[in-house]
Amino acid sequence: MITTTTVKVGEQPTGDPMEVPVIHIQGQGNGPRVYIQANIHGAEVQGNAVIYQLLNLFRQYPPQGDVVMVPQANPLGINQKSGEFTLGRFDPVTGINWNRQYHFDHSMLEPFTQDYLDAEESEIRDAFRTRLKQQLEARMASPWGLTCGQHLALNLQKMAVEADIVLDLHTGPISAQHLYVPEYARKRARHFHIPLNILIPSDFSGAMDEASFSPWWQLSQHFALHGRELPVMVDAFTIELGSQEHLDVAGARQDAESICNYLQHQGLWLEHYVQPEPSAMQACYLKDYKAFFSPAGGQVEYLAKLNQQLPAGEPLATLWHFNALVGESSHSRTITLPCDCIPVLHFASASVQQGTELYKVLTNTFRL
Ligand SMILES: [Zn+2]
């Protein structure tokens, strides 16, 4: 059974509620519970199309576990227009990234571990999830109030915390498809068949994926310190689907199928229904996911192709200075990088200040 509802995530100055749409698909049996959201950053709309395609797949192949999906997860971000562009990455009031406002307080880990050291895994899972929910409730009931971004984040997190698998759908600026992979989940991440992968540490710094998996990873670390092996019971990933301000609903079917391939390996269906295209999956560690900042202001021709090997010394971009077309000084320069890399994304505008993040590239790559 599929139902839709709305959840209130804030209030406008007029007093009207800000709401997000929530799609709930009731599972047929005992599969993992899944939470998927899209478009927390206002310009990153492709995830909404992927949710649409996932819904079509879930109608065709009813899942075993419950699935909750939230398209257009940020009613403020998507409406944050400036001219023809959508800003939508930062709360304009506080300046804080919309995806850095989720909550986890690790101080409960040690006392919890001591209380549940000898408990069954299922008992640990249920009790820990209850504690996480209590933390969120306490945070939301703060007598000092919350910012608008925190209201939004905590209301979304209240839904995500119920899930065993959390997928947060994003895009880059002008970008190839890529995946953030917590190191503990490296093997399972291969089932997404995403060509470019960044292996991230498993600690918490406020993003939805970290807020979802990191408490469980930290719990397993605490149990290990006390001599007990405990699996990390929740998986969470940030999937970067391509470029912002871009919608390709037919193409989203392929993204939906690669997500379903991962989900079927996690037991969301009793059989395997989708067969994604095989792809060569490259990865690097977060420390080797390098940003290149423009050495000068000017206009940029982006030359390096995304998701293609770029040898050291080959042209990345040309930087033009049209104020110096006549005279002694040079009016253009070719930009190269000192090592081999695979470009993942580049800045969306051709006009840049000195210090603009021009490209992000994988270096020291290996097969996932
Ligand atoms: Zn994003």
Side-chain angles (χ1 to χ4, degrees):
M1 194 176 66
I2 300 175
T3 53
T4 57
T5 180
T6 54
V7 165
K8 185 181 163 193
V9 292
E11 261 177 41
Q12 300 179 48
T14 53
D16 293 324
M18 292 189 294
E19 293 173 332
V20 296
V22 180
I23 303 162
H24 184 259
I25 301 148
Q26 194 179 357
Q28 308 284 300
N30 268 333
R33 283 177 290 184
V34 180
Y35 174 83
I36 301 171
Q37 72 174 29
N39 204 188
I40 189 71
H41 289 142
E44 304 179 5
V45 293
Q46 180 66 6
N48 299 324
V50 172
I51 285 182
Y52 165 73
Q53 295 289 11
L54 283 168
L55 185 59
N56 291 335
L57 283 159
F58 291 135
R59 283 198 178 107
Q60 197 177 351
Y61 309 113
Q64 289 295 304
D66 288 357
V67 178
V68 172
M69 298 197 290
V70 181
Q72 292 186 187
N74 183 350
L76 281 157
I78 198 167
N79 286 316
Q80 215 180 315
K81 299 295 291 185
S82 179
E84 64 199 285
F85 297 107
T86 312
L87 301 175
R89 178 173 292 271
F90 303 97
D91 179 339
V93 177
T94 61
I96 299 173
N97 189 322
W98 292 113
N99 188 28
R100 294 292 182 279
Q101 309 198 44
Y102 300 99
H103 177 66
F104 173 56
D105 174 5
H106 61 84
S107 65
M108 57 96 131
L109 285 165
E110 187 53 32
F112 181 90
T113 303
Q114 287 180 16
D115 287 352
Y116 285 87
L117 198 53
D118 301 315
E120 297 275 326
E121 264 179 33
S122 60
E123 192 190 346
I124 295 170
R125 185 182 55 223
D126 294 346
F128 192 62
R129 183 163 275 137
T130 300
R131 294 286 175 91
L132 291 175
K133 289 194 281 197
Q134 286 166 348
Q135 269 199 0
L136 294 177
E137 295 292 349
R139 177 83 165 156
M140 292 176 93
S142 164
W144 299 99
L146 298 169
T147 67
C148 166
Q150 289 166 336
H151 276 287
L152 171 65
L154 293 170
N155 276 296
L156 296 171
Q157 199 178 352
K158 255 174 74 177
M159 293 186 274
V161 76
E162 303 283 358
D164 307 302
I165 293 168
V166 173
L167 304 177
D168 195 12
L169 307 183
H170 286 248
T171 77
I174 304 296
S175 179
Q177 197 189 31
H178 57 290
L179 181 67
Y180 286 97
V181 179
E183 285 181 33
Y184 77 86
R186 177 173 169 177
K187 267 193 186 158
R188 296 194 286 283
R190 290 184 190 135
H191 297 304
F192 286 106
H193 288 254
I194 289 177
L196 303 174
N197 297 270
I198 298 128
L199 291 170
I200 57 172
S202 301
D203 33 22
F204 175 67
S205 59
M208 172 56 98
D209 57 349
E210 298 160 345
S212 303
F213 72 71
S214 187
W216 298 89
W217 175 79
Q218 292 184 44
L219 183 68
S220 80
Q221 298 291 105
H222 272 260
F223 270 72
L225 285 175
H226 289 269
R228 176 167 171 191
E229 202 176 315
L230 186 73
V232 182
M233 291 188 256
V234 166
D235 262 4
F237 297 91
T238 295
I239 305 175
E240 303 275 350
L241 296 159
S243 303
Q244 66 189 24
E245 302 280 17
H246 179 77
L247 189 67
D248 173 3
V249 178
R253 174 76 180 199
Q254 204 183 332
D255 296 321
E257 287 184 2
S258 59
I259 287 171
C260 284
N261 189 52
Y262 161 80
L263 293 174
Q264 66 191 6
H265 279 91
Q266 294 299 106
L268 192 64
W269 293 277
L270 299 176
E271 291 172 58
H272 285 200
Y273 294 111
V274 299
Q275 302 261 301
E277 300 280 313
S279 73
M281 288 173 276
Q282 297 289 327
C284 79
Y285 290 105
L286 186 62
K287 70 176 173 55
D288 294 322
Y289 184 40
K290 295 282 195 192
F292 175 79
F293 300 96
S294 184
Q299 271 98 72
V300 182
E301 267 185 298
Y302 296 95
L303 299 176
K305 296 271 177 290
L306 303 178
N307 190 19
Q308 282 184 23
Q309 289 280 352
L310 182 75
E314 289 294 308
L316 181 76
T318 307
L319 190 57
W320 289 86
H321 307 287
F322 294 112
N323 58 347
L325 289 178
V326 180
E328 296 290 294
S329 55
S330 168
H331 55 266
S332 74
R333 63 202 271 189
T334 302
I335 292 170
T336 61
L337 295 178
C339 64
D340 296 353
C341 71
I342 304 175
V344 177
L345 58 86
H346 68 69
F347 195 60
S349 170
S351 292
V352 302
Q353 297 171 312
Q354 183 183 40
T356 294
E357 189 180 278
L358 271 197
Y359 267 92
K360 288 189 86 173
V361 302
L362 303 186
T363 67
N364 293 323
T365 56
F366 45 84
R367 294 221 146 196
L368 182 69

